[in-house]
Amino acid sequence: MARETTNQLSSRQPLLEVRNLKTQFFTAEGDVRAVDGISFDVYPGEIVGLVGESGAGKSVAVRSIMRLIEEPGSIVGGEIRFKGDLLVGFEEHATQPTKREAVLSDEVMRRRIRGREIAIIFQDPMESLNPVYSVGSQLEEIIALNRDVDEPTAREIAVEMLGEVGIPEPDQRFSEYPHQFSGGMRQRVLIAMALACEPSLIIADEPTTALDVTVQAQILRLVTDIQQRYDTSFIWVTHDMGVIAEICDRVNVMYLGEIVEQATVDDLFHDTKHPYTESLLGALPRPDTTVDELTPIEGVMPEAIDPPPGCRFHPRCPDAREVCANRRPDIREDPDRQGPPHWTACFKNDAFDVGYWESEPLDGKRTSRGFDAGGGERR
Amino acid sequence: MAHDSATDDGLTEDSVGTGTEPDVRGVESRVGAWNTLSQIRGDPTALAGLAIISVVTLVALIASVDYYLLDYWLAETFWVHPARDPQEVEILLPPVGLENDFGQGTWEHPLGTDHRGRDIAARLFYGTRIAMLVGFVSTVIGLVGGTLVGSVSGYYGGWVDDVLMRAVETLYAIPFLVLVIAFMAAFGRNLTYAMIGVGIASIPTFARLLRSRVVSVREEEYVAAARAAGVRTRWIILRHVVPNSFAPVLVQATLQIGLAILIVAGLSFLGFGAQPPTPSWGQMLNQSRDSMLPNPWFSIWPGLAILFTVVGFNLLGDGLRDALDPHIEEE
């Protein structure tokens, strides 16, 4: 695993900077704030995790990076910078893209960024390949499109790529159709397609969710292997803390369109700060501890169309107090910390001075959507 | 399937695939031209349709070569010229073996002669060329136009969709034949305009059919993947969206060829299609009106030819529909 020391990271220039990104969907029921002001960095050669429940806005966040958001959604704020180019740029509090510096045009975005610099692997390997063309010709298409090579060379590279991702007899399988591949094999093909143009960043949008665990393990091994060989950065979107522990260097935990905790993978697992992250970890079966029952997170995630006031997690949070229901925490770095930065959006964080510890616990006042005191004893 | 046994790190992935896999494979394996052909091979009605179309197409090809390249050389040397009045006029002879007021049917004119003494068999033979030409050309015009309109409309959606679809619906609201006749009244009465008119009038059918599929196919993940890989929009439509939406359009096109033949025969009957002396089935029907009683065969032969051809296309169309729609077999 390419786990760099985080001190080194901070001195380097980030590959991708996401600042206060906001993406909304304008539906008949109201505006859905799918992504509501998230910020994170991806440094060269690292695997950054983006973890959260379904509907937390993970996929929307990564699609926003590629500017693939479609009607009725649109990016409404924030800034995304990739290798110095501005992919998304809004002035602070402005609703129109900024004029002070050119945001890449759609044409440039398509030609220079998509596929060539940033590639994406989608969730469902069953659906991400076109059933009417052979696997090889689809791979060849991407190569011919993004690299300046002629057709025989593109074919050669395509066969080579198939072998690279561990497909046996790539020569023969080149001309086979997607339905002749199993799920794991298709996912390998998709990885080959993403790798085809040697991008600097690959976004993996839950690529192993549709696979069973043995195949998932193989794919994860392949990815870490590739990551080391090509020195590609990854953004790994998942809801599986196990996968995060397996491959990520740093992790962003998302809840209802916000990033609530941001830390290295070691810190996240061993020095968990945010109650939501704790809940996620509590719901994960672990071989090193024996528990009679896993602890589910009580309640369901509210709709992003009408997020709860105050801290968005407070209706489900076991540690919620009065102040959490009234004020909304932003994400802050722990001031007293030594070592790699660790950010949390929780009033328990010492960076906040809002009287959390003096505030009344909310336990008695919870609604049906909230937390049941009986099942909530953590750890 | 042959490759189910593919192994990976010593594991048989197939045995541990996702739960939906077998079903998905069952459906997806029915993709591809080769598969469609083998489906049709097992369907006797579709095979019958294919056989009829093959015969008719062959006849039309021979007639076309003779007409365009040899200027009726074949007919004049071995047979009877279909468009020129014969020297010794034996009008309205019955088919061989039958007798009427004008005489006895002979082997010289096996299907009889028309009101100007021309051989009906020869005219039928060369009329095939017109019928097939009309069927294919007008359908291709409708298919290309409809595909263009339908795919753009379905893929882009929004106001583009609204504008295009309202236009198409306006066209759809006008009765087919009225539209074609109006078109020919504006541009001229000949076969070319008949074909173009029928083609344009069939654009709405294709456009609406394709659009309805494109709207769902554009949401497929491989389309999103192509977009994310930086593929140009028109190339996505052409390569990824249209081929995956095309099956119902293909079926419709097959049926449309039959329909176009019928419509243009009707136009020729009304005097709007191929002009004399060019032999065409509809025009033969028209000319046979006055002599239907003394010689009913004069009108029966071209009628049979039209019926035969149109039935052929309809049978094949139905067979194609069964072969291309994975849901029908499940029922």
Side-chain angles (χ1 to χ4, degrees), chain B residues 150-170:
Chain B
S151 57
V152 166
S153 178
Y155 188 84
Y156 287 99
W159 66 268
V160 178
D161 188 27
D162 282 340
V163 169
L164 286 176
M165 278 300 120
R166 292 308 83 79
V168 156
E169 275 157 19
T170 309

Side-chain angles (χ1 to χ4, degrees), chain A residues 265-284:
Chain A
V265 74
D266 288 336
D267 284 346
L268 193 83
F269 278 80
H270 299 121
D271 184 18
T272 317
K273 297 278 191 206
H274 199 282
Y276 178 61
T277 317
E278 282 186 44
S279 311
L280 279 181
L281 291 172
L284 183 75

Side-chain angles (χ1 to χ4, degrees), chain B residues 178-254:
Chain B
V178 173
L179 193 65
V180 178
I181 291 175
F183 180 84
M184 296 180 70
F187 291 95
R189 278 189 188 197
N190 65 40
L191 195 65
T192 314
Y193 290 121
M195 293 192 289
I196 297 174
V198 171
I200 289 175
S202 64
I203 285 179
T205 321
F206 290 113
R208 285 158 56 104
L209 202 59
L210 190 69
R211 177 192 168 272
S212 69
R213 284 285 300 146
V214 168
V215 165
S216 76
V217 169
R218 74 183 294 272
E219 303 297 332
E220 295 283 346
E221 205 140 77
Y222 52 79
V223 175
R227 211 177 297 138
V231 182
R232 214 178 277 273
T233 306
R234 56 189 118 106
W235 187 239
I236 292 178
I237 294 177
L238 216 63
R239 186 174 150 94
H240 294 284
V241 175
V242 169
N244 279 291
S245 321
F246 215 59
V249 176
L250 204 65
V251 172
Q252 181 61 35
T254 314

Side-chain angles (χ1 to χ4, degrees), chain A residues 1-132:
Chain A
M1 233 164 288
R3 212 160 266 173
E4 314 228 1
T5 64
T6 336
N7 295 338
Q8 270 180 325
L9 284 180
S10 53
S11 63
R12 289 162 66 182
Q13 193 65 22
L15 183 69
L16 176 82
E17 288 173 82
V18 178
R19 290 288 169 271
N20 203 23
L21 175 69
K22 289 182 180 170
T23 304
Q24 299 188 355
F25 289 85
F26 304 99
T27 68
E29 287 79 42
D31 300 348
V32 180
R33 300 176 179 183
V35 172
D36 204 14
I38 64 167
S39 304
F40 64 95
D41 292 333
V42 178
Y43 288 89
E46 67 168 349
I47 301 184
V48 173
L50 200 56
V51 68
E53 282 169 274
S54 304
K58 311 181 294 280
S59 290
V60 175
V62 292
R63 278 161 212 237
S64 300
I65 294 171
M66 301 276 274
R67 296 223 314 245
L68 287 172
I69 303 295
E70 292 207 303
E71 289 282 307
S74 75
I75 300 170
V76 295
E79 204 176 278
I80 299 177
R81 207 174 276 278
F82 176 80
K83 283 187 172 174
D85 286 326
L86 205 55
L87 306 190
V88 171
F90 285 81
E91 294 274 14
E92 198 71 25
H93 307 301
T95 49
Q96 290 296 313
T98 178
K99 294 282 187 291
R100 76 188 133 86
E101 186 185 345
V103 176
L104 291 192
S105 72
D106 285 343
E107 180 63 16
V108 173
M109 190 78 197
R110 182 186 70 71
R111 251 193 5 244
R112 226 175 63 203
I113 304 293
R114 290 185 194 149
R116 217 174 259 222
E117 283 287 358
I118 308 177
I120 190 161
I121 305 169
F122 284 110
Q123 174 167 4
D124 196 342
M126 297 302 167
E127 307 290 336
S128 299
L129 289 167
N130 189 337
V132 306

Side-chain angles (χ1 to χ4, degrees), chain A residues 178-230:
Chain A
H179 70 265
Q180 293 169 307
F181 283 65
S182 67
M185 283 295 170
R186 286 195 212 188
Q187 198 54 275
R188 285 169 190 264
V189 172
L190 292 178
I191 290 171
M193 284 171 89
L195 269 180
C197 307
E198 299 181 359
S200 354
L201 175 65
I202 294 179
I203 296 171
D205 189 0
E206 306 211 32
T208 57
T209 305
L211 306 175
D212 62 277
V213 273
T214 33
V215 180
Q216 170 174 311
Q218 293 160 12
I219 297 289
L220 292 183
R221 213 182 311 145
L222 172 70
V223 166
T224 44
D225 188 40
I226 280 167
Q227 198 271 335
Q228 278 177 339
R229 245 184 308 158
Y230 290 83

Side-chain angles (χ1 to χ4, degrees), chain A residues 40-42 46-52 58 62 204 234-241 243-245 247-254 259 261-265 268:
Chain A
F40 64 95
D41 292 333
V42 178
E46 67 168 349
I47 301 184
V48 173
L50 200 56
V51 68
K58 311 181 294 280
V62 292
F234 276 84
I235 298 178
W236 199 276
V237 178
T238 181
H239 57 250
D240 187 343
M241 276 300 203
V243 172
I244 293 285
I247 62 164
C248 289
D249 300 304
R250 290 189 308 124
V251 190
N252 299 289
V253 181
M254 268 190 95
I259 288 178
E261 185 161 6
Q262 195 171 74
T264 62
V265 74
L268 193 83

